Amino acid sequence: MLGMAMLPFMMYLPKMAPHTALSLDTDWFYRKPFAGIVTGLSYLCCAVSRALGNTWEVLYEKSMELSHNPMEFLDAKPLRNSPKYNPENYRTSIADPIMITLTNIISVLCVILWRSFNKK
């Protein structure tokens, strides 16, 4: 049986020499569109990555500017032209905390008096 199978193989051996030819098969129908889809998705991923990188860079730069002058976030007038934070620009007069303290004390006293008169 081996000899009978070997005889046709030996006869067709010269015809089985490698040759160049264009062979179109059914895989062409998914290979070409798939390559286009992969290329398009690759460009899309690169564009999204670049946009996110640029956004992160801008956020990082703005946060660094804000850390140099945290009061700029509040749009404080004394520091609009000053590049660095200086706590002296934000010191309030002694009247502000005294007025807040007195207002709180008077409010608490009023509430206490109001409750004491309304218990009867």
Side-chain angles (χ1 to χ4, degrees):
M1 282 177 70
L2 183 60
M4 293 299 279
M6 193 180 231
L7 182 66
F9 180 74
M10 296 301 271
M11 286 174 43
Y12 286 105
L13 194 58
K15 292 184 179 185
M16 290 193 296
H19 58 283
T20 59
L22 181 61
S23 175
L24 289 179
D25 203 1
T26 57
D27 68 334
W28 182 88
F29 292 108
Y30 64 82
R31 203 171 16 103
K32 287 294 184 177
F34 185 69
I37 290 170
V38 168
T39 303
L41 285 176
S42 175
Y43 285 135
L44 178 66
C45 288
C46 288
V48 167
S49 174
R50 191 171 28 257
L52 288 174
N54 291 341
T55 302
W56 178 254
E57 180 182 8
V58 168
L59 287 174
Y60 176 76
E61 292 296 325
K62 291 299 180 184
S63 67
M64 292 306 291
E65 288 176 15
L66 185 60
S67 68
H68 286 223
N69 185 359
M71 296 306 282
E72 185 177 348
F73 181 70
L74 301 175
D75 195 28
K77 292 179 183 177
L79 287 183
R80 284 192 181 159
N81 298 325
S82 178
K84 299 285 184 184
Y85 173 72
N86 184 3
E88 295 298 323
N89 290 337
Y90 296 98
R91 293 200 189 273
T92 60
S93 68
I94 193 69
D96 293 338
I98 289 176
M99 187 56 118
I100 292 170
T101 306
L102 287 176
T103 304
N104 286 335
I105 290 173
I106 291 171
S107 298
V108 169
L109 288 175
C110 287
V111 168
I112 291 171
L113 289 173
W114 177 262
R115 286 187 178 181
S116 67
F117 284 123
N118 286 336
K119 280 188 176 181
K120 296 177 181 181

